[in-house]
DNA sequence: GTGTTCATTATTGTATGCAATGATGCATGT
DNA sequence: ACATGCATCATTGCATACAATAATGAACAC
């Protein structure tokens, strides 16, 4: 559950598991990605340090790491807040993702070992398996999201390129909330399965043009879904009476 | 001179100019990018804090930011060291750059405003200007590098996509030392001018396929140069009696 | 009623002290 | 001579205390 995308192989910053900074980092990231805070909510250092049970020093360091990853934003002398669901920013991230995923697929076609492809196939099999069981209408949104990320993770790993893996990992982490909303609010699972299968088949066949196009089409679909996600999200937010961009302070 | 790639518009982490952390961050980054330390050199927190004139706390935070950007690496309870010039890692970064630059060119063709294109043209004019003056064999390596980065910066800005700008900025920062060695050790200026012109013309003409191919070819050229850079670098390092990978400690 | 000013308060930024962990060198035994 | 174990030392990780800055609210003038 605490697995990152592109789990082992792409070290998270100062990966040491024993340190309190690492603990604070993981805890906070988990809270944020599981929507424990309202979007845009202000993050008080003392409150968080008490919640997590560490001093302010490691907590501040964790906050800075998370800012570097784009999950929180902070202005000097003004503290940090959770990123809000900003449709425009999400669209920009998705546009970037279209290029990155396409290129990752392209490189993976060329550099993947047979083991890499086997791993990709294995994850795809898990997706199919979930798809079969799902006919009974069992709600497994969390597992859907997890597998949807995993398939991209193993494809990125198949590039054997740490830089590409890193960029992929960062991008998906920033998109995670939005993707979560997508699978939660929209029922895009069937399409997702089809598209993932198309990507996997093309990569396994080492068919570069087809893989690139499949990967890009997948993201474009996600992009066109975002309009609907935004609408549903706006409704939900209104129900909870959350302001649009809560802490947006005056800018000089 | 303290201008980042993708200067204003892409905030550096916790961009506040007044804080000591920011000062420490900028100072350290400057030192590293100007090769003030040997590659792989160990960075003692107390020594650095005395050099820069701040306490350990903001310095530690600056180090963590730099780690997140890939300029230093740190292992828990063991401190930080400057990244060493690792040809394999550089190649991986350049492979990633090929995809990113190609995609940036593609998006820029579609989304650039006329002002954006004017800025691109302006920087290209500066390059041409430098090229003309340079016939007199005046050595202006620093300016060459600066303009070489700037042209990519303004093209990235022309995408109007913060995510792509951010990824570009990060990638070029990590590559900066390698690119510096490239223009310093090899005399690749003439080729670079030609390639930059090809990219600019294609982007200004909004010719997507040509722009993508030009951008990619430029990076591929850089990639094939790296072999030579590595050889020359190895010689230089040997002259200074620097070990290959200084602080590589045993891994369990 | 609205806008402005100032004092209060809360929160962040920085410095320092202590504890814990890893590195270093020497002595010792084989 | 080489390896092993131990003691010492340096350095990092963390917590806390203090200073500086920004947010908050009340009082006041218009």
């Amino acid at each position: 559950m605490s697995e990152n995308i592109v789990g082992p192989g792409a070290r998270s910053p100062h990966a040491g598991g024993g340190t309190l900074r690492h603990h604070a980092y993981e805890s906070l990231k988990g809270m944020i990605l599981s929507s424990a805070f309202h979007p845009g909510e202000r993050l008080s250092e003392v409150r968080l340090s008490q919640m997590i049970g560490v001093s302010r020093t490691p907590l501040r360091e964790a906050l800075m790491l998370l800012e570097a990853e784009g999950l929180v934003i902070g202005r000097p002398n003004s503290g940090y807040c959770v990123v809000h669901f900003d449709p425009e920013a999400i669209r920009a991230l998705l546009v970037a993702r279209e290029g990155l995923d396409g290129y990752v697929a392209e490189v993976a076609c060329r550099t993947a070992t047979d083991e890499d492809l086997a791993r990709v196939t294995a994850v795809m099999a898990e997706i199919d398996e979930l798809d079969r069981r799902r006919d009974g209408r069992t709600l497994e949104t969390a597992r859907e999201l997890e597998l949807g990320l995993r398939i991209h993770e193993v494809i990125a790993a198949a590039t054997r390129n740490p830089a590409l893996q890193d960029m992929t990992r960062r991008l998906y982490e920033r998109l995670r909330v939005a993707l979560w909303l997508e699978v939660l609010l929209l029922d895009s699972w069937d399409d997702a399965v089809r598209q993932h299968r198309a990507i996997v088949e093309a990569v396994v066949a080492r068919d570069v043009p087809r893989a690139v196009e499949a990967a890009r089409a997948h993201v474009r679909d996600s992009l066109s879904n975002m309009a609907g996600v935004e609408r549903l999200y706006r409704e939900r937010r209104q129900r909870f009476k959350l302001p649009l961009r809560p802490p947006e302070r005056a800018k000089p």
Side-chain angles (χ1 to χ4, degrees), chain A residues 132-147:
Chain A
R132 268 193 297 277
R133 274 185 309 178
R134 192 173 173 282
D135 283 339
R137 283 199 162 281
T138 20
L139 236 355
E140 295 200 79
T141 323
R143 182 133 181 81
E144 289 174 17
L145 179 65
E146 188 204 335
L147 284 176

Side-chain angles (χ1 to χ4, degrees), chain A residues 6 51 61 66 79 124 153 190 212 235-237 252:
Chain A
V6 186
M51 280 171 94
E61 299 176 339
L66 289 172
M124 190 65 218
E153 175 188 332
D190 288 340
V212 171
E235 291 169 11
R236 192 193 79 157
R237 193 189 48 225

Side-chain angles (χ1 to χ4, degrees), chain A residues 41-43 45 63-64 67 72-74 78-82:
Chain A
E41 180 173 347
R42 181 113 188 288
L43 296 174
E45 295 180 1
L63 277 170
M64 296 194 6
E67 181 181 27
V72 303
I73 59 178
S78 170
Y80 295 85
C81 32
V82 181

Side-chain angles (χ1 to χ4, degrees), chain A residues 156-173:
Chain A
T159 62
R160 302 255 155 190
N161 184 314
L164 283 175
Q165 288 180 53
D166 225 55
M167 291 166 75
T168 303
R169 184 187 129 264
R170 282 178 179 280
L171 196 55
Y172 274 89
E173 242 157 35

